[in-house]
Every structure is written in structure tokens, then in C-alpha cells.
Amino acid sequence: ATVMLAGRDLGKAERAAASLGVRYPGRVSARVADAADPASLDRAFAGAGLVAVAASVLEYADIGGLLRDLQRMGVRFEGRRLDVGALLESR
């Protein structure tokens, strides 16, 4: 499995990806994605098999808009916790 980390701040996503990439070389990447910008979601999640939403402050996150965009893209949403390390270890 591969993991792509995305967020409004590409630098932050890249630092997080680099940190995970130490343990899982070549399997973690970073992209820009802004839930308020459907076109950025299209670019970021193109070809994704799974999208995990991890917002540190949900009061500012437009989860409803994000869910509509994911549905439009044909991405299924499940509200549950995800252990990224376990995902990367599994494949």
C-alpha cells in the first residue's frame, strides 16, 4: 500500500510524509488539498483507493462539503479511526 498525505499546507504535508517515509521509503507522498476547493480535491485524490480525513480542529472543517465532493468523485466515506502504520505494514 501507499499513502498520500494532503492538506492546505503542502510544507506540513511534506514534513509528515518525510517522517513516515523514513520507516516506509517510497510509499508516502504529499499533495495539496483544500476541502473548500473541489478542484484541489479532484487533483489530490485522483486514483485514491481510500481517503482519510484528519482535521485537528473540526469546527473549521467543511466536512459536509467534503463529503459531497467525495461522493461526486465516487469515493466511499467511512467514519472510523485509521492506523496508517498498520496500513503500510500490511502490504
Side-chain angles (χ1 to χ4, degrees):
T2 59
V3 171
M4 183 267 297
L5 302 178
R8 290 174 296 165
D9 182 336
L10 179 58
K12 189 174 180 180
E14 287 174 333
R15 288 188 296 279
S19 179
L20 272 175
V22 169
R23 185 165 179 184
Y24 307 101
R27 298 177 61 197
V28 184
S29 63
R31 293 185 191 167
V32 172
D34 184 344
D37 178 4
S40 81
L41 298 177
D42 288 341
R43 288 187 301 272
F45 303 142
L50 171 72
V51 173
V53 177
S56 58
V57 183
L58 289 178
E59 71 183 88
Y60 301 113
D62 179 11
I63 298 299
L66 177 61
L67 293 177
R68 282 188 299 277
D69 287 324
L70 292 176
Q71 183 178 28
R72 176 183 54 77
M73 291 184 286
V75 176
R76 190 176 104 202
F77 174 81
E78 290 184 27
R80 64 185 173 112
R81 298 187 130 214
L82 175 67
D83 183 342
V84 173
L87 176 69
L88 288 168
E89 293 284 343
S90 70
R91 301 195 177 136

